[in-house]
Structures are given as structure tokens and as C-alpha cells.
Amino acid sequence: MYNKIVLSSDEVPKKWYNINADLPVELPEPKNSEGKDQINALQKAFTKEGLAQEFATDRYIKIPSEVRELYMEMGRPTPLSRAKRLEEYLNTPAKIYFKREDTSPTGSHKLNSAIPQAYFAKKEGIERLTTETGAGQWGTALSLACNLLDLECTVYMVKVSFNQKPDRKNIMDIYNGKVYASPSENTKVGREILEKNPSHPGSLGVAISEAMEEALENDEVKYTLGSVLNHVMLHQTIIGQELKTQLEIAEEEPDVMIACAGGGSNLAGSLFPFIKDKIDGNSNTQFIAVEPSACPTLTKGSYEYDFGDVNGFTPMLKMFTLGHDFVAPSVHAGGLRYHGMSPQVSLLTKEGYIEPRSAHQKEVFEAGVCFARNEGILPAPETTHAIKVAIDEAIKCKKTGKEKTIVMNFSGHGMLDLKGYASYFEGTMQNAK
Ligand SMILES: *Cc1c(COP(=O)(O)O)cnc(C)c1O
């Protein structure tokens, strides 16, 4: 029996897996809105390699050896652990495994895409990268990746998160990133929004607009996105490929696989290599995406073309969306407050490969505390959504007597999210409607 499955450095995958090669129906292309040319803007804002990967159809894409080296130096491969004490606490016949993306130095899976994006920018002679960040995880990862590759980094952080999480700014400062609360006075978009509503809480959509504006106006600046787009999903597939090797070692076939979903990248990264088997007809695994009921993109949104940002700088993407002007209530899982969803994850949900579920804030924190008390590891508020459903599934097994193997992606740790836990214990935490 395995409590922890660890791989050696040379088992870091050599290729990323591109699900575009295997999708059951063709992915709808991004398109311009009437009278505008956002596709052209996109081409100007992103690195050439990022764009090429966005539209690539090869099944596997080689990971440059420098990137693979950096993955190893930053702690990959990550362990797969079994939540034995949680199983005993729940008194379930189910086995619960969790893939430890919290062991990354920045505390989440985000570095998996930050490293290659910074690497491609450096190779193309770019001086500075801009980005947005919700909970602060992506900004932290990009700050570190830029510093490792000797690039400057500007981060627009959603204002509610900026105020809720001052430690996030501190850690980005440490990694040499420059952080601004968004909406900010730096950009035209930011100034316009602040003029209308000086206490606007910000949103990922607004922050994206600010970061993109900078890239569009400076040739030596490029924009990066930490989720949603195909090339980000691609980079994250090192998680799922490692996970496959680890489950083979443990001689386990997953019955249920679970990940939380904000823009879809940790879900795509951990599950796409397994969803491939399902598309090929070789798997019966159930795949579950978990989102907050305060931002129910997959469970209550509609599948249609919408902008990725509030201002219409991005092309229209066919995805599940709550509308690009949707401002989610200020829940603590800041990384899950995005109005849209990865077009690839959206399509696979539409086609029935991924089952979406939503969970309320108090119940996910309860699950997170239960996990921490049994396993010792404090999950990020985003990650608690996956834990909540893993616990639900394990309890179902108790009723049915089925010994299912449940595998979840543990997207990040919550050591910088203690304020959320504090409000849970103070009893001041709200469930959004
Ligand atoms: C960013 C983040 C998420 C949500 O983003 P996805 O792109 O959906 O993965 C989830 N968990 C953690 C810890 C994060 O940092």
C-alpha cells in the first residue's frame, strides 16, 4: 500500500499533451466582435510561441530542455499522496488520493505555465511581462518566473484580493514583481472605471483589460494569461502526465477524478491526459469540475461567444460564461471568481465528458478544515472546492459500500489565505446567494 508516490527528477515529462488533437468535436475558433479586430490585438499582445501553441494541433509538444530544467529546479515532479487519515475519519471504503501542486515554491500549480511563458518571452527579446491576478497566485508565479529568467514583471491584482491579501503583494515584491491594485490609475481602462465607481472591487476581467492595454501600447511588453487559453491548459498537462505514472505505480485506476475550476487550468492539467482515454473509449472514469455557487460559470452560465475581459480587448471565445460584465461577490476563493471558462474545458463539459458541480463557501471551508485536521496540510480556498466533492463522493461510497478510487488535484496551499479561515471561525463568513 502506498501513502505517497514520489517520482525522480528524470520522470518530469518531456512533452506537453495537447487535447486539441483529440477533442470529440472541433473547438470553435476565437472570433472578432462586430467592427473590431481583437484577433490582431491578441497577436500583438502575446509572444509568438504562446500564440503558435494556442492554435497547435499536434498531440504532443516538446518541452524545451531549459524549461524542463527549471521545472526540476522548482521542485517537479510533485508527489501523489493518499489521504489515509481522512478516509479513516470519514469511515469510507473509498481511497482518496491527492496530487500535491501545493508543493511548488509559490504554493500552487501556476508556476507550470509561468515558467514556459517567461522563457518564450525572453527568447523573443521581450523586456517586460504584464498580467492580471485574482487571488494573487498567478502574479506570484509569474513574478518568480520572470525573476528566474531576468525579465521585468507588472501585475494588476484584483482590488478585493489586494486588500484581503496584503501578504500576496509582499511575496510578489520579494520575487521582484511590481504589483498594482486594479482598477488602477495606470491605464485608460482603469481610470475610466474609477471615475464611474471609485470603490469598484475589481474583477479578473478588469485586470486583464489593464494588463493588455500596456502590452498593446509598448512593443517591448507582452501580456500573459494564467488560465483560460489553450496554451496554458497545455503547459499544465505535466501534472496529469506525472499523475498517470504515479497511479500506475500505485496500481490504481481512478473511478472519480476531481478538480476545482476557475479558468480551468488545474483541472485541464490534471485531467486532460485521462480524458483522452475516455475520448478514445478506454476509460470509465468520472470527471468532476467544482466551482463556487457565487460564480457558477459551468453550472448556471450559458455556452456562447463572449469576451474574456470586461472591456472587449480580447477576441470572443466560445465558452461557458456568466457574461463579461458579471462581477462575482467577494468570496475568498479569488481564483474562482472569473466569469468565463477555458473553451476546451467548456466544450468537454458541453459534450458530457466533465460533470460540473457547485459548492457554497461555508461548506467548502468546512471541508478544508476537516482536511487540514486529518492530513495536516492547509488547502487554498480554491482547493477546498475539490476537497468538498471528494468528501461527498467518499461519503456516498460509505452508503453504497463501493471501494472507489477518488483522485483530486490539490491545486494549492492556504498558508497565505488565513484571513478566509479566520472569517470562517469568527462566524462572519457569508454564503453568496
Ligand atoms: C488559480 C488557482 C485556481 C483556479 O484557476 P484554474 O485555472 O481554474 O486552475 C485554483 N486553485 C489555486 C490554488 C489557484 O491558485
Side-chain angles (χ1 to χ4, degrees):
M1 204 207 64
Y2 293 91
N3 275 325
K4 183 172 167 189
I5 299 123
V6 189
L7 303 175
S8 62
S9 296
D10 61 7
E11 285 174 285
V12 168
K14 295 193 170 73
K15 293 165 183 165
W16 289 300
Y17 167 61
N18 180 12
I19 202 158
N20 274 346
D22 294 304
L23 287 173
V25 293
E26 208 171 312
L27 191 71
E29 296 260 324
K31 66 175 194 191
N32 288 320
S33 64
E34 217 176 288
K36 288 201 177 168
D37 193 354
Q38 295 99 339
I39 294 193
N40 190 31
L42 189 81
Q43 280 161 350
K44 198 163 176 271
F46 280 95
T47 60
K48 289 191 190 74
E49 187 58 32
L51 265 181
Q53 291 181 349
E54 189 60 25
F55 298 103
T57 51
D58 321 57
R59 181 166 292 122
Y60 292 99
I61 293 175
K62 187 180 181 298
I63 301 176
S65 55
E66 297 89 336
V67 170
R68 198 167 165 260
E69 199 70 30
L70 279 165
Y71 279 160
M72 292 178 200
E73 286 166 359
M74 294 297 122
R76 298 211 74 85
T78 61
L80 175 68
S81 291
R82 184 163 165 195
K84 200 77 183 68
R85 293 184 59 93
L86 179 64
E87 291 167 18
E88 279 160 20
Y89 172 81
L90 298 171
N91 192 19
T92 173
K95 290 183 256 183
I96 306 173
Y97 287 91
F98 58 110
K99 174 69 169 159
R100 300 276 317 264
E101 290 304 301
D102 62 299
T103 62
S104 156
T106 63
S108 82
H109 63 285
K110 299 285 199 311
L111 203 53
N112 298 336
S113 186
I115 289 172
Q117 293 201 49
Y119 171 80
F120 295 133
K122 186 72 189 177
K123 250 183 96 181
E124 290 169 27
I126 300 306
E127 290 168 15
R128 178 162 68 101
L129 289 179
T130 66
T131 196
E132 81 296 331
T133 196
Q137 288 278 17
W138 171 246
T140 307
L142 192 72
S143 296
L144 174 58
C146 284
N147 196 60
L148 295 173
L149 285 148
D150 198 19
L151 287 165
E152 289 171 57
C153 182
T154 307
V155 180
Y156 289 94
M157 184 166 183
V158 178
K159 196 184 277 169
V160 280
S161 305
F162 188 89
N163 294 332
Q164 270 174 0
K165 301 178 177 184
D167 286 344
R168 279 287 167 204
K169 181 184 181 303
N170 294 344
I171 193 165
M172 287 186 259
D173 286 341
I174 291 168
Y175 289 142
N176 221 2
K178 283 221 161 40
V179 197
Y180 301 95
S182 164
S184 79
E185 297 284 348
N186 291 6
T187 63
K188 272 184 271 167
V189 185
R191 288 189 293 270
E192 270 168 33
I193 292 172
L194 287 174
E195 207 166 292
K196 282 188 216 136
N197 178 6
S199 57
H200 194 290
S203 70
L204 273 180
V206 174
I208 292 172
S209 300
E210 290 206 90
M212 258 187 97
E213 185 183 309
E214 281 218 72
L216 292 178
E217 294 188 352
N218 302 292
D219 284 340
E220 72 288 0
V221 178
K222 292 284 177 191
Y223 168 68
T224 61
L225 203 53
S227 188
V228 183
L229 296 182
N230 301 344
H231 65 276
V232 184
M233 307 296 124
L234 174 81
H235 300 152
Q236 293 293 351
T237 58
I238 49 167
I239 306 173
Q241 293 182 81
E242 287 175 13
L243 186 49
K244 273 206 135 174
T245 310
Q246 287 163 317
L247 288 171
E248 277 161 25
I249 293 170
E251 297 180 11
E252 294 284 8
E253 291 255 354
D255 295 296
V256 188
M257 297 189 80
I258 306 162
C260 64
S265 75
N266 88 89
L267 179 132
S270 53
L271 305 193
F272 278 4
F274 294 85
I275 293 178
K276 174 188 191 302
D277 296 341
K278 183 127 180 174
I279 295 170
D280 293 345
N282 300 325
S283 149
N284 289 316
T285 307
Q286 181 186 8
F287 301 102
I288 305 173
V290 195
E291 59 188 12
S293 22
C295 190
T297 315
L298 288 170
T299 47
K300 298 232 175 95
S302 45
Y303 186 58
E304 61 189 25
Y305 272 103
D306 193 10
F307 297 112
D309 67 317
V310 71
N311 251 59
F313 278 139
T314 70
M316 317 261 312
L317 303 172
K318 184 89 180 266
M319 60 183 176
F320 277 96
T321 173
L322 295 162
H324 61 275
D325 50 3
F326 176 84
V327 180
S330 311
V331 289
H332 286 283
L336 307 183
R337 288 179 73 240
Y338 183 58
H339 70 272
M341 183 58 66
S342 142
Q344 291 174 331
V345 171
S346 294
L347 182 125
L348 288 163
T349 305
K350 179 81 184 158
E351 294 296 313
Y353 288 88
I354 299 169
E355 176 191 329
R357 288 197 202 164
S358 68
H360 285 287
Q361 177 155 256
K362 277 191 216 164
E363 43 185 50
V364 300
F365 270 87
E366 189 186 351
V369 169
C370 172
F371 188 91
R373 288 184 177 166
N374 282 288
E375 297 298 325
I377 304 155
L378 185 69
E382 292 83 2
T383 311
T384 61
H385 289 74
I387 297 171
K388 160 76 179 126
V389 168
I391 291 177
D392 286 351
E393 290 299 308
I395 291 172
K396 270 190 212 161
C397 290
K398 192 167 153 180
K399 296 194 179 121
T400 59
K402 286 205 182 112
E403 290 177 35
K404 285 194 178 174
T405 300
I406 301 169
V407 180
M408 66 170 140
N409 192 42
F410 199 91
S411 58
H413 72 65
M415 293 304 276
L416 292 177
D417 303 287
L418 295 177
K419 226 176 152 186
Y421 282 94
S423 91
Y424 172 76
F425 286 115
E426 283 158 12
T428 51
M429 181 170 277
Q430 308 262 313
N431 272 338
K433 303 289 164 322

